[in-house]
Amino acid sequence: MTRIFTVPTAQVRVDHHSAVHLAAETARAVARECELPGALPDQAAVIASELATNLDKHASDGTLYVQPLPLGHGVEILAADRGPGMHDPERCLADGYTTSGTLGVGLGAVRRMATHFTMRSADGTDVGTWACARLTAPGEQRPEWQGVGAICLPAEGEEGCGDARGIVDTDAARTAVVLDGLGHGRAAEEAAQAALRTFHTDPDRPLPDVLTRMNRALRHTRGAAVGLLRLHHDRADYCGIGNIRALALTPGGVEHRLTGQPGIVGWGMPTPRVHGFPLSQGATAVLHSDGIDARWALDPPPSVLRLPPSLLSAALAHGHRRVRDDATVLAARSPLRLP
């Protein structure tokens, strides 16, 4: 089941112990909005509380990100920080392990309660820890969930978010979109959401057709920059208008970099063109708006290149976001090449 992202990612900065309660209440609310049954919203709150407590005790510049799953029916809780990192993450997940004199059950409990849990940490020069806990209703587990990650954040001080994102799987391919309405605030949000609704109407069309339909739908809005990405077995197609960047990452580095054609969807859009590029084994494709500083891709550290899509999106949003702009990053692997 595909659910349309209509709200930005909820974020809780863990800069004081009181943020732990806020994190729990935020996760409970999002889980209820996702219509998770029974005690699952309370379990989401416990997961968020444990991750936030870990950030409060051990990390610097820690933030929790909470949202519906990019694919499927459930809630996703992500934690990101800037250090000091974990020398042995697997040991930290064991019940009874502690560095602060507590019972040491937090991360182990998160791994048991979550439907899927993954964590990576880097110490030394590339410090930071990233964790993703996903909670779904019984029978909702699908392996392709592990191949997608997305974060969408409004500019600081804005009520509305002018960015949006979406991803859809079909039998033949996986299609993703990142949208950036011109400017900020409600008018930009209206443009992005209109384009997102158009995308979900028929995401399996040829990519230029999807953009042409968006162009018609956005004629009475501010317009938007749009990046569309279609992932096949061993290649990807990119079609974009405006400053939405597309990249292909492998553990060895950045293999491809593309930017959309100059123009605005909704206002004199040029004829869209498709750019294809190969996807190496294990490659991750990334789309992001200009609210993510593009300099991250000049020399990304090996610890970031090795992250799975869910953690990669959190790492880029947490580490390279421009807070005065709406910011979105979407990372995905081909569903035909998972795991």
Side-chain angles (χ1 to χ4, degrees), residues 126-321:
D126 302 331
V127 295
T129 300
W130 310 276
C132 174
R134 290 173 167 176
L135 187 64
T136 68
E140 287 283 341
Q141 298 182 46
R142 297 188 301 176
E144 60 266 30
W145 289 344
Q146 300 177 32
V148 178
I151 297 283
C152 179
L153 301 169
E156 284 195 352
E158 293 287 351
E159 293 184 3
C161 183
D163 279 10
R165 75 288 197 204
I167 190 160
V168 174
D169 280 354
T170 63
D171 292 338
R174 166 171 285 169
T175 304
V177 63
V178 166
L179 305 138
D180 183 358
L182 264 63
H184 308 294
R186 295 299 183 189
E189 182 181 49
E190 289 172 4
Q193 292 298 322
L196 185 62
R197 289 191 296 270
T198 303
F199 169 76
H200 279 286
T201 298
D202 196 355
D204 211 20
R205 282 176 172 267
L207 299 183
D209 290 358
V210 177
L211 269 173
T212 299
R213 288 161 62 89
M214 288 183 183
N215 188 55
R216 290 197 296 266
L218 269 60
R219 283 178 179 169
H220 300 291
T221 72
R222 283 188 177 182
V226 178
L228 289 163
L229 191 66
R230 181 158 289 159
L231 304 179
H232 303 277
H233 172 68
D234 57 358
R235 64 182 177 86
D237 294 325
Y238 173 68
C239 189
I241 302 293
N243 195 16
I244 303 293
R245 296 177 182 269
L247 306 95
L249 308 184
T250 69
V254 181
E255 291 194 340
H256 303 282
R257 295 179 175 89
L258 300 96
T259 303
Q261 300 166 237
I264 302 171
V265 179
W267 293 88
M269 183 184 77
T271 301
R273 300 190 301 269
V274 175
H275 300 272
F277 55 92
L279 283 178
S280 302
Q281 182 69 36
T284 299
V286 176
L287 280 176
H288 69 78
S289 68
D290 61 358
I292 302 295
D293 190 336
R295 289 175 294 181
W296 74 266
L298 296 178
D299 188 23
S303 58
V304 169
L305 292 171
R306 292 192 295 265
L307 292 175
S310 59
L311 300 185
L312 177 61
S313 62
L316 296 182
H318 189 71
H320 302 280
R321 171 194 176 196

Side-chain angles (χ1 to χ4, degrees), residues 322-337:
R322 293 183 169 123
V323 295
R324 294 184 179 180
D325 197 1
D326 305 313
T328 298
V329 55
L330 186 151
R333 292 175 180 165
S334 169
L336 306 176
R337 301 190 73 159

